[in-house]
């Protein structure tokens, strides 16, 4: 559901008709944990929505569910990159946008190592739009960081993280499935979702 909601958010932020390239290419960069799994599902649904995603998934998870998501993407004929070009212009020329599904709230920023430090260095230089899943990679869950990615679109999952308070780009809240008792317990005061939508723009 999270991955589907992220894909819908991307279709709203970047409709097929708005893409600058003839081919609706999208690069999804996926990390090894929960955000990476969401990125895999997001890419699969974007393929269903007639986008042309490519996935870079440098460290594949041993989690059976994540492996299943990978197989589903392969069976949808979604290509996987064996490496991320360090020549940024190659990324700019090949894709309309980047999906950042690398590091999530569970990540200790101080413990991030290669290949992710190098990936972030490369992605910070791209000129095409970036959409981050749940929180921008390189940020602390409590606060924004200037040395992290600076996406054009943020797709918060369940509830916005504290670091999103200073985000100035286009912001979606995705995932209409947080139990009511948790919403009440933490006084989340989430905005109403229109009709049957799985996301809302903040």
């Amino acid at each position: 559901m999270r991955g589907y909601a992220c894909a819908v958010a991307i279709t709203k932020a970047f409709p097929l008709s708005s893409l600058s390239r003839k081919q609706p290419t999208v690069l999804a960069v996926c990390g090894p944990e929960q955000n990476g799994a969401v990125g895999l599902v997001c890419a699969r649904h974007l393929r269903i929505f007639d986008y042309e995603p490519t996935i870079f998934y440098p460290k594949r998870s041993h989690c059976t569910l994540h492996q299943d998501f990978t197989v589903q993407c392969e069976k949808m004929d979604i290509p996987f990159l064996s490496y991320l070009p360090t020549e940024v212009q190659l990324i700019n020329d090949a894709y309309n946008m980047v999906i950042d599904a690398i590091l999530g709230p569970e990540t200790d920023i101080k413990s991030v190592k290669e290949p992710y430090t190098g990936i972030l260095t490369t992605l910070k230089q791209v000129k095409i739009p970036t959409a981050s899943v749940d929180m921008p990679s390189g940020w602390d869950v409590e606060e924004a960081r200037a040395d992290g990615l600076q996406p054009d679109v943020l797709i918060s999952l369940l509830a916005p993280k504290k670091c999103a308070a200073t985000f100035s780009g286009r912001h979606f809240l995705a995932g209409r499935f947080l139990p009511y008792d948790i919403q009440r317990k933490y006084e989340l005061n989430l905005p109403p979702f229109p009709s049957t939508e799985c996301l809302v723009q903040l």
Side-chain angles (χ1 to χ4, degrees):
M1 291 178 68
R2 298 180 192 192
Y4 167 75
C6 286
V8 173
I10 288 169
T11 67
K12 292 182 180 296
F14 305 101
L16 286 169
S17 60
S18 73
L19 300 181
S20 59
R21 305 195 177 285
K22 184 177 181 180
Q23 300 299 116
T25 52
V26 175
L27 175 61
V29 185
C30 300
E33 299 177 339
Q34 182 64 41
N35 259 27
V38 174
L40 292 171
V41 179
C42 175
R44 177 164 56 88
H45 283 287
L46 286 174
R47 182 70 186 89
I48 294 169
F49 297 152
D50 292 330
Y51 291 74
E52 295 182 8
T54 294
I55 297 171
F56 180 52
Y57 189 24
K59 283 194 173 183
R60 300 194 178 194
S61 172
H62 297 295
C63 171
T64 302
L65 182 62
H66 296 192
Q67 291 173 349
D68 289 345
F69 291 157
T70 303
V71 171
Q72 290 171 359
C73 288
E74 292 170 343
K75 290 186 180 296
M76 291 292 293
D77 297 328
I78 299 174
F80 283 74
L81 295 180
S82 58
Y83 67 94
L84 184 70
T86 54
E87 179 57 55
V88 176
Q89 194 57 44
L90 293 176
I91 300 174
N92 292 335
D93 290 343
Y95 303 102
N96 290 278
M97 60 168 295
V98 174
I99 300 170
D100 157 33
I102 308 169
L103 307 176
E106 71 282 354
T107 305
D108 179 1
I109 297 301
K110 295 178 182 178
S111 68
V112 176
K113 300 177 181 178
E114 291 292 351
Y116 301 107
T117 52
I119 291 170
L120 293 182
T121 297
T122 298
L123 294 183
K124 282 189 285 188
Q125 301 175 64
V126 300
K127 301 299 183 184
I128 55 177
T130 299
S132 289
V133 172
D134 209 13
M135 56 179 278
S137 291
W139 287 25
D140 184 275
V141 69
E142 297 292 328
E143 61 181 358
R145 291 176 61 104
D147 57 347
L149 296 186
Q150 305 299 320
D152 304 271
V153 173
L154 175 60
I155 308 167
S156 291
L157 300 176
L158 301 179
K161 310 309 177 278
K162 190 173 181 181
C163 63
T166 58
F167 180 70
S168 59
R170 198 167 179 186
H171 190 185
F172 293 90
L173 175 61
R176 188 179 184 173
F177 43 79
L178 194 62
Y180 295 141
D181 62 337
I182 293 179
Q183 294 186 40
R184 289 190 294 267
K185 179 179 179 180
Y186 294 102
E187 299 179 347
L188 295 179
N189 299 316
L190 299 180
F193 288 78
S195 185
T196 58
E197 290 282 348
C198 62
L199 74 158
V200 62
Q201 183 168 344
L202 302 178

